Amino acid sequence: MNQCNVNLLDLPTEILLIILKKLDNIDVLYSLFDVNNQRLNNIIQKNTFSNALNFVLLTLTDDILSISDRMLDRFCISILPKIHYNVKSLILNSLSMERILLAADYPNLNELKLFKFNGNIASRYFTVKSPFRRIFQQQITDLILVFENDYHEKLCEYYTTDVYGFIFEFFENLKHLSIIELSPNSFPPLLLHNLPSTTCYSSVLYKLCITVMYYDDLLALLDGRIKQLNTLNVTIAEQDCYLSNIYNMNNLPDMKYFYLQCNCSNDIYYDEILPLLHRMSNIEALNLHLTIDNQTTFIDGNHIYNEIIVHMSQLRTFNYYFFTFIRLNQSVNHLSKDDILQTFPNIIYEQVNCMINYGYNDIRYHVFSLPFMFDYLGFIDNVFPSIIFNHVIRLIVDDNIPFEHEFFMRIAWSFPLLKMLCIYNHLSQLTISNKLSSNDNELRSTIIEFPYLISLDLEFTHDDYIEQFLNDKKTYLPHLTKLDITYYGLKNVTENFTNERTRLNCMNVKQLNITPKISIHSEDFYAYFPSL
């Protein structure tokens, strides 16, 4: 069979569509739009390739990149004016938002995701004088705002009234609002409990994803000011709770999907969170990620069934992670992992796992549903189950016995998408790491790679763990950009910033937080961290 003259356009239209759908819509349009082939033009101008356009590239290190100026020129001049009627969803960098939105009219645009959002963007574009007033006020029903910078706590009340509250008022048809972050503490939480009930009021919004400052701010969201709310994804930033008792809420029958992540005391959990859940009688999907301090008993299968599940007859999906600190005393029963798991019904036994660490003064206890659906796991020790945690990107490890090289090999295997790692351990490593240190050949075969790790906190560790992670014969960190560390530990392990073995993993660090802070450094230091 002679295939010399076969080319892409000889393929049937159905096959061409399958191939092109594997590519990014932006690349398809940029490469093939107006190529002087009517059949190809007809294919790529279909709604399939022009309904949703993503003009943002998110790198492995969470850097936000826009498309090149050349691509942007072509889209704004030649492509968007011809396909604008099809566009329903846009993902934009705030730096290029104005040019893209001014390139054409978008009568069917109803979804907008905006990266690098901040208060200045809101005050410039979310106003009655904005050139996009009609689109924002009348068309946008789904709005996702992504912050990237750290905030100052004093801005919280300003953002609540002048940014978040104004968004509720300005976007008249907004049905879904998500205010999210690329890293923890990237934007001011909602501080609502001491503000009038007209703040963040909406008669049409039904889905909200946001971080609030205190538990009272969550209660304020549920006091009826958001009339149609049935999906709430909320993180509580601070454990402190005012509990002003001004929120006399009735049941919440309209709540169908509730996702809660917070740290709380034992009293808040039993006196506030559980009664709140009991009001949500029609919940269909529930996600709970709770860290509970001063707990007095183990949260087991009986507790989860009797205190939560039995109150929710419509519940279809329930993902949970309970992490509790239990003060160790004579009244606490010493239970094993098997003791805990036997309290779960047989039908869900294989969908649950737990970890128990008996310390000197307390018990650290984790119980969670499988598969683990959350992005954060805190304070695990040397003993953890052989499970792939595909969703975890933030992890804290802590133990009163050393972490050896083999432990971090298991961490890399169990947490393949890990981006942020914090280590607490002041004890020196023992056998494995010391043995590996004496043999470069053996080290080469045991190098651990964390391909997505961008943030590493070694401030509260023994120098052995600094060496463990910065020595490129032990660990490879190709995308490390943030490092928290003690100055003298760093200086010791890097041999006053001259050790070639620890140089590679420091090359890309853009944010170095050292304790104590040192303002003047040597030339070797700056050569060691060229990205600072």
Side-chain angles (χ1 to χ4, degrees):
M1 180 176 176
N2 186 357
Q3 298 180 343
C4 296
N5 296 323
V6 175
N7 59 59
L8 183 67
L9 294 178
D10 291 326
L11 295 172
T13 299
E14 294 78 7
I15 303 299
L16 272 175
L17 278 170
I18 292 173
I19 294 172
L20 294 177
K21 286 180 181 178
K22 299 292 185 182
L23 306 176
D24 186 271
N25 289 353
I26 292 290
D27 293 330
V28 171
L29 291 170
Y30 179 74
S31 302
L32 301 178
F33 193 86
D34 276 349
V35 294
N36 199 28
N37 183 287
Q38 188 60 44
R39 176 170 171 250
L40 199 55
N41 274 336
N42 291 338
I43 292 174
I44 65 172
Q45 290 192 48
K46 291 180 179 291
N47 292 350
T48 303
F49 302 105
S50 54
N51 274 354
L53 301 178
N54 180 4
F55 289 92
V56 174
L57 173 64
L58 193 62
T59 69
L60 292 177
T61 57
D62 285 344
D63 290 324
I64 301 167
L65 306 178
S66 296
I67 63 173
S68 68
D69 290 339
R70 182 177 179 181
M71 289 185 70
L72 186 59
D73 287 342
R74 176 158 158 72
F75 268 95
C76 292
I77 296 172
S78 304
I79 300 176
L80 290 173
K82 295 181 180 179
I83 65 169
H84 66 107
Y85 194 86
N86 296 336
V87 177
K88 296 181 179 179
S89 174
L90 286 173
I91 300 177
L92 305 177
N93 186 330
S94 63
L95 300 178
S96 57
M97 175 183 71
E98 180 172 332
R99 187 175 179 197
I100 291 172
L101 290 180
L102 288 176
D105 186 24
Y106 302 92
N108 295 306
L109 178 66
N110 53 47
E111 297 181 5
L112 178 64
K113 184 173 184 178
L114 187 60
F115 281 83
K116 292 190 174 181
F117 178 78
N118 54 49
N120 292 331
I121 298 297
S123 61
R124 181 174 180 181
Y125 294 110
F126 297 174
T127 72
V128 294
K129 296 181 179 180
S130 169
F132 318 121
R133 174 183 176 180
R134 179 183 58 80
I135 292 178
F136 291 163
Q137 280 195 317
Q138 300 176 21
Q139 293 181 210
I140 297 298
T141 60
D142 293 69
L143 180 64
I144 302 175
L145 305 173
V146 185
F147 281 79
E148 66 163 343
N149 296 321
D150 291 340
Y151 73 92
H152 299 290
E153 188 169 335
K154 64 182 181 180
L155 293 175
C156 289
E157 189 162 341
Y158 160 77
Y159 264 82
T160 297
T161 55
D162 292 22
V163 179
Y164 308 145
F166 188 75
I167 289 172
F168 275 80
E169 181 179 345
F170 185 66
F171 288 77
E172 297 175 356
N173 293 310
L174 195 61
K175 297 180 179 179
H176 165 209
L177 173 62
S178 289
I179 300 176
I180 58 179
E181 55 195 352
L182 290 178
S183 60
N185 301 322
S186 294
F187 71 93
L190 190 71
L191 190 59
L192 193 62
H193 68 272
N194 57 348
L195 296 174
S197 60
T198 53
T199 308
C200 296
Y201 172 90
S202 174
S203 61
V204 296
L205 190 79
Y206 69 84
K207 181 178 180 181
L208 177 63
C209 175
I210 199 166
T211 295
V212 301
M213 180 64 81
Y214 303 112
Y215 182 76
D216 269 12
D217 300 311
L218 165 61
L219 297 182
L221 280 176
L222 297 173
D223 69 357
R225 70 184 69 203
I226 307 178
K227 301 296 184 181
Q228 304 297 324
L229 187 65
N230 78 351
T231 301
L232 179 59
N233 186 330
V234 62
T235 298
I236 301 177
E238 296 291 338
Q239 182 170 341
D240 293 337
C241 181
Y242 286 108
L243 290 180
S244 54
N245 295 320
I246 63 173
Y247 306 104
N248 297 315
M249 291 180 293
N250 296 319
N251 289 340
L252 299 165
D254 294 331
M255 189 64 64
K256 299 294 191 297
Y257 310 95
F258 185 54
Y259 312 89
L260 174 63
Q261 178 171 328
C262 74
N263 297 348
C264 64
S265 67
N266 180 64
D267 291 342
I268 296 299
Y269 173 67
Y270 282 97
D271 297 341
E272 300 295 331
I273 293 179
L274 285 180
L276 176 64
L277 295 177
H278 295 169
R279 296 189 183 104
M280 301 178 181
S281 56
N282 291 328
I283 280 286
E284 297 176 10
L286 178 64
N287 283 10
L288 295 178
H289 185 293
L290 302 179
T291 299
I292 307 173
D293 199 7
N294 294 324
Q295 178 76 353
T296 56
T297 60
F298 290 94
I299 293 178
D300 59 12
N302 294 324
H303 173 92
I304 291 173
Y305 179 79
N306 293 324
E307 296 293 340
I308 299 176
I309 295 177
V310 76
H311 296 274
M312 300 176 174
S313 60
Q314 304 301 315
L315 191 63
R316 301 290 179 266
T317 302
F318 184 22
N319 298 304
Y320 55 87
Y321 167 60
F322 294 95
F323 172 43
T324 62
F325 295 90
I326 303 174
R327 191 173 301 279
L328 194 58
N329 57 56
Q330 293 181 350
S331 64
V332 176
N333 292 327
H334 282 239
L335 302 178
S336 68
K337 176 178 178 178
D338 288 340
D339 293 331
I340 298 294
L341 294 181
Q342 287 174 8
T343 65
F344 288 87
N346 291 333
I347 57 173
I348 63 171
Y349 179 88
E350 294 182 357
Q351 299 172 317
V352 181
N353 213 317
C354 69
M355 297 178 280
I356 306 175
N357 180 12
Y358 288 89
Y360 296 120
N361 299 311
D362 62 12
I363 306 168
R364 295 181 181 181
Y365 167 62
H366 312 250
V367 62
F368 47 88
S369 57
L370 296 175
F372 192 89
M373 300 301 295
F374 304 96
D375 65 0
Y376 168 66
L377 186 57
F379 295 95
I380 69 169
D381 54 38
N382 273 279
V383 180
F384 63 92
S386 297
I387 298 172
I388 302 296
F389 294 87
N390 281 319
H391 295 275
V392 174
I393 60 174
R394 296 186 292 137
L395 177 68
I396 297 176
V397 296
D398 181 20
D399 206 345
N400 53 16
I401 61 175
F403 294 130
E404 305 296 351
H405 188 83
E406 183 271 341
F407 169 79
F408 294 111
M409 292 177 65
R410 290 190 290 124
I411 290 292
W413 179 82
S414 291
F415 302 91
L417 299 181
L418 193 62
K419 289 186 176 182
M420 303 175 189
L421 175 61
C422 179
I423 301 171
Y424 293 104
N425 200 316
H426 287 289
L427 299 175
S428 64
Q429 292 180 313
L430 300 175
T431 56
I432 299 177
S433 294
N434 291 336
K435 179 180 178 182
L436 291 173
S437 298
S438 65
N439 191 324
D440 274 357
N441 291 329
E442 188 173 355
L443 274 171
R444 289 181 185 277
S445 64
T446 59
I447 294 176
I448 308 168
E449 181 173 359
F450 291 90
Y452 299 101
L453 194 72
I454 60 176
S455 176
L456 179 62
D457 189 341
L458 300 172
E459 183 176 355
F460 301 100
T461 68
H462 191 277
D463 286 1
D464 283 359
Y465 303 104
I466 300 177
E467 208 272 339
Q468 167 74 54
F469 275 85
L470 297 190
N471 186 337
D472 64 9
K473 292 292 187 179
K474 294 183 178 181
T475 309
Y476 179 45
L477 306 174
H479 296 108
L480 182 66
T481 58
K482 180 183 177 183
L483 179 61
D484 293 81
I485 200 166
T486 62
Y487 176 75
Y488 297 106
L490 177 63
K491 184 177 180 180
N492 177 47
V493 170
T494 61
E495 299 174 5
N496 204 12
F497 311 106
T498 61
N499 184 357
E500 292 302 317
R501 280 278 63 85
T502 54
R503 184 183 298 274
L504 179 63
N505 285 329
C506 296
M507 294 289 288
N508 297 318
V509 173
K510 299 177 182 178
Q511 182 178 345
L512 180 64
N513 301 319
I514 54 177
T515 305
K517 294 185 180 298
I518 306 293
S519 57
I520 300 176
H521 299 285
S522 65
E523 291 184 6
D524 286 337
F525 172 89
Y526 289 108
Y528 221 78
F529 295 97
S531 298
L532 290 179

